[in-house]
Amino acid sequence: MSLHQVTASFPRRLQNTTKKRSYRWFDDGLAAYRLKAYDGALTLLCSVQGPGMGAPLRTGAVAARTMSLLWSKPLIGVNHCVGHIEMGRLVTKASNPVVLYVSGGNTQVISYSQGRYRIFGETIDIAVGNCIDRFARLVGLSNDPAPGYNVEQEAKNGSKLIDLPYVVKGMDVSFSGLLSFVETEVKSGEHRVEDLCFSLQETIFAMLTEITERAMAHCGQKDVLVVGGVGCNERLQNMMEKMVKQRGGRAFCTDERFCIDNGAMIAWTGLIQYLNGDRLEFQDSTCTQRYRTDEVLVRWRLQEDRERIPN
C-alpha cells in the first residue's frame, strides 16, 4: 500500500507509519547522497508546523525536534501552504503571479502584497480535493493511485454535462452543497459514472477559474501559478491556460512531482526562511492544524515591496 493510499484511507494508520519509519526515511535520504549527519553536511532541519492532520503533524514535529537536539542543528518551521507556493515559484520561475492553491485540505486564491501571501478567496466549507475524494468514494472509484486521478480519467470518457449547483459567493466558493446534490444523482442511477465525473470537474473547475480571474483583475496581474495536489489535474490546467491566454498572461503549472505534497518543498522553503533571518526557538517549535497562509511574514520577498515604493 502506497503512502498516499494510507493518507487517503486511514489517517491514524498514516500516523503509525510515520512513527515507525520517519528516522529510517531520514537515514535513507542521507545515505542516497552519501552524507552523514555528523560530518558537517547537514546544517538545518525543516519541518511542517501546519496546517494538516493533527496526528501526523505531531509525529513530524517530535521527529524534527529529536534530530535537532541530537545533532545540535537549528530547526525551522514551515507553513505547508507557503511551501507549495515557493516550490511552484522555484520550478516554474514565476515571479509574482496570482496563486491558485488547490488540495485535499485547502482551496485558496492568493496574491503577494506587503510581506504576506494575502488570501483573496477561499472555500467556505470543504476543500476541492476533499470534495473530489468523497465523490470518488460515492461512485466506487479506487484510491490507487489516487481518487482524484481516477476521477480525472473517468471524466475523459464523459460526454453529458449534468446541471450541478454552481456556488460562487463573491470571491469564495462552496462545495458541500454540490457534493450533497451529486450524492442524490448517484443514488438515482440515472447517470453514467463517466458523465458524473465529467460534470463534477467542469463545474468545480469553472468556479475556481472564475474566482482566480477576479483576483487577477483586482490585483492587476496577468500570470497564474497553480499549486497543490489538485493542481496536477490536466483539465484544470487547460481551463486556467485558456482563461489566462485571453488576458494576455501565462499559466504556470507543474506535474505530480511538485504539486503533490513532498519533502523538497518544505526543505526549500525552510532554507530560504533561514537565509533571510528566520529563527525558531525550541519552545516555539509546536504545530497546529490551523496555520493560515497569510500568517507568515514572507521576509524573502520584502525587497520587492521596497522596489515598488518610489523614493
Side-chain angles (χ1 to χ4, degrees):
M1 179 176 283
S2 70
L3 187 59
H4 189 279
Q5 287 174 271
V6 173
T7 307
S9 307
F10 309 105
R12 184 62 61 181
R13 186 181 293 179
L14 172 63
Q15 178 193 15
N16 294 334
T17 301
T18 308
K19 277 183 178 179
K20 293 176 181 177
R21 301 181 183 179
S22 56
Y23 299 109
R24 193 179 76 195
W25 287 337
F26 191 83
D27 286 339
D28 290 345
L30 290 176
Y33 293 95
R34 299 179 181 178
L35 301 175
K36 294 181 180 179
Y38 297 99
D39 65 3
L42 181 67
T43 57
L44 176 67
L45 289 163
C46 307
S47 68
V48 179
Q49 285 198 283
M53 293 185 289
L57 278 175
R58 288 195 300 273
T59 301
V62 169
R65 284 176 161 197
T66 301
M67 290 184 281
S68 175
L69 289 174
L70 180 63
W71 296 318
S72 299
K73 303 297 181 181
L75 179 63
I76 289 291
V78 176
N79 179 287
H80 182 101
C81 311
V82 174
H84 274 294
I85 297 171
E86 293 306 329
M87 175 56 76
R89 292 181 66 231
L90 173 67
V91 172
T92 65
K93 308 302 180 187
S95 59
N96 188 35
V98 166
V99 179
L100 175 63
Y101 172 36
V102 279
S103 70
N106 297 275
T107 303
Q108 298 175 344
V109 178
I110 302 160
S111 183
Y112 173 80
S113 177
Q114 298 180 351
R116 306 275 175 173
Y117 282 119
R118 310 288 177 177
I119 300 171
F120 283 83
E122 59 189 321
T123 177
I124 60 175
D125 39 55
I126 62 174
V128 60
N130 184 265
C131 176
I132 294 172
D133 289 353
R134 289 165 65 177
F135 166 79
R137 288 197 290 272
L138 284 175
V139 296
L141 295 181
S142 170
N143 283 335
D144 186 16
Y149 175 82
N150 293 325
V151 170
E152 180 181 2
Q153 302 315 306
E154 292 291 333
K156 293 177 181 178
N157 298 316
S159 57
K160 177 185 176 184
L161 182 62
I162 303 164
D163 189 20
L164 301 179
Y166 185 97
V167 189
V168 174
K169 300 184 177 183
M171 286 294 297
D172 297 328
V173 291
S174 171
F175 300 112
S176 59
L178 185 154
L179 184 63
S180 297
F181 184 90
V182 170
E183 183 175 4
T184 303
E185 294 299 301
V186 171
K187 290 179 178 178
S188 73
E190 297 178 2
H191 308 290
R192 297 189 309 144
V193 170
E194 296 90 337
D195 291 333
L196 286 166
C197 292
F198 171 73
S199 302
L200 181 81
Q201 280 200 164
E202 293 299 302
T203 302
I204 62 179
F205 292 164
M207 292 161 58
L208 295 173
T209 302
E210 178 182 334
I211 63 172
T212 302
E213 185 172 16
R214 284 184 181 171
M216 293 171 68
H218 179 79
C219 300
Q221 292 167 279
K222 293 184 177 181
D223 297 337
V224 169
L225 171 64
V226 183
V227 299
V230 181
C232 57
N233 185 293
E234 293 179 356
R235 178 54 181 155
L236 175 60
Q237 293 182 5
N238 179 259
M239 292 174 74
M240 282 293 160
E241 287 168 355
K242 287 183 177 179
M243 179 271 287
V244 172
K245 185 177 180 180
Q246 292 174 356
R247 300 183 63 86
R250 295 170 294 172
F252 294 95
C253 306
T254 63
D255 57 32
E256 66 276 2
R257 294 173 299 168
F258 307 108
C259 280
I260 295 174
D261 295 351
N262 59 85
M265 73 185 199
I266 303 304
W268 168 247
T269 306
L271 176 61
I272 58 177
Q273 288 180 212
Y274 184 76
L275 293 177
N276 284 272
D278 274 8
R279 297 293 184 269
L280 183 65
E281 296 298 327
F282 185 81
Q283 62 268 24
D284 297 325
S285 58
T286 56
C287 57
T288 175
Q289 291 181 266
R290 291 175 174 81
Y291 185 13
R292 286 180 61 81
T293 313
D294 51 9
E295 290 182 46
V296 179
L297 177 60
V298 187
R299 298 178 189 273
W300 54 97
R301 297 191 64 179
L302 291 176
Q303 183 60 34
E304 297 177 28
D305 295 328
R306 300 186 189 102
E307 293 171 356
R308 292 192 191 102
I309 299 174
N311 294 328

